[in-house]
Amino acid sequence: TIWLEDQISGIRDERGTLVGLYGVARDISERRRVDHALRESEEKYRLLAEKTNDVIWTADLNLRTTYVSPSIERVLGFTPGERLMQDATQQMTPESLDRAAKALADHLAMERDPDADPNRTLRIELEYYHKDGSTVWLENQVGGIRDASGKLIGFHGVGRDIGERRKVEQALRASEEKYRLVAESTNDEIWTSDINLNTTYVSP
């Protein structure tokens, strides 16, 4: 089978009465095949964006969100529509906003370097507001969006909830600090060695 797109008009006699039709038919089979493939691709990536636990986003050069995946509702409580209405000051804590602004300034400064890698990425941890009033730490992997000429026009990123990881890291640091204080304050000598009795640690 072949798909044709028909442009049809009427044929009228000298009195203006419709007496027939004429048309031009164009083969659009290839266009329909491409459209179908595009819809399948969009559906696949839409499912990925909806099912992932990471937050996929794009933003303009002012850090204004231009797209965010539906997963944001699971992670931060906001719907995509609500997120698009928020500016950066409503999205993250002041400390994280300062960190993001500095990273943006550094990234834009690198644009003046002709040898800078246009595909460079940045990993940055930022603290975001949750809809319920709490905060959530996300690790963002950020890259640039460029137009056909290579000019930077925005950013894309993937944010992953690292709240649990940060709790573990904080607990580990607290534990290490506690045992460091014990090792430094004791009158006993605490030491470790390898199997050949080479000292690998000794307390102060």
Side-chain angles (χ1 to χ4, degrees):
T1 59
I2 296 174
W3 281 93
L4 301 181
E5 177 183 76
D6 289 275
Q7 190 74 30
I8 303 170
S9 299
I11 301 172
R12 299 180 182 275
D13 62 18
E14 62 276 6
R15 296 188 302 276
T17 303
L18 185 68
V19 296
L21 301 170
Y22 72 92
V24 177
R26 175 176 297 157
D27 185 347
I28 59 165
S29 300
E30 181 62 18
R31 190 183 81 191
R32 284 182 62 90
R33 186 191 68 75
V34 171
D35 287 347
H36 178 71
L38 179 61
R39 282 194 299 272
E40 283 189 335
S41 176
E42 288 176 341
E43 178 67 13
K44 177 176 70 175
Y45 288 109
R46 184 186 65 80
L47 285 171
L48 285 175
E50 287 182 355
K51 300 302 181 185
T52 183
N53 286 322
D54 296 339
V55 178
I56 302 168
W57 56 267
T58 62
D60 61 21
L61 294 180
N62 296 313
L63 297 183
R64 185 89 189 187
T65 303
T66 53
Y67 166 80
V68 66
S69 60
S71 54
I72 190 173
E73 194 162 3
R74 289 195 297 275
V75 178
L76 295 175
F78 297 102
T79 66
E82 289 171 333
R83 190 50 145 203
L84 294 178
M85 298 297 292
Q86 298 173 334
D87 61 32
T89 62
Q90 298 170 298
Q91 296 183 13
M92 61 187 84
T93 62
E95 296 81 6
S96 286
L97 183 58
D98 287 345
R99 192 181 306 119
K102 182 181 183 304
L104 172 61
D106 292 344
H107 195 92
L108 293 176
M110 291 183 68
E111 286 296 298
R112 295 190 288 272
D113 181 357
D115 296 325
D117 180 7
N119 298 315
R120 62 189 180 275
T121 59
L122 166 72
R123 188 184 69 82
I124 185 169
E125 295 181 6
L126 300 170
E127 188 178 17
Y128 291 87
Y129 295 118
H130 192 283
K131 191 173 183 178
D132 65 10
S134 63
T135 60
V136 178
W137 280 93
L138 299 184
E139 179 185 78
N140 289 277
Q141 195 74 25
V142 186
I145 300 173
R146 299 180 182 276
D147 63 16
S149 67
K151 180 183 177 182
L152 184 69
I153 58 172
F155 299 98
H156 64 86
V158 179
R160 174 166 296 173
D161 186 345
I162 56 168
E164 194 59 35
R165 190 185 82 190
R166 286 180 64 91
K167 288 179 184 177
V168 171
E169 289 173 348
Q170 288 172 354
L172 179 60
R173 283 194 297 271
S175 176
E176 289 175 341
E177 178 65 13
K178 178 177 69 176
Y179 288 109
R180 184 186 65 79
L181 287 171
V182 169
E184 290 181 352
S185 302
T186 183
N187 287 324
D188 298 331
E189 180 184 331
I190 302 170
W191 57 269
T192 63
S193 74
D194 63 21
I195 200 68
N196 296 314
L197 296 184
N198 295 308
T199 302
T200 56
Y201 168 78
V202 64
S203 62

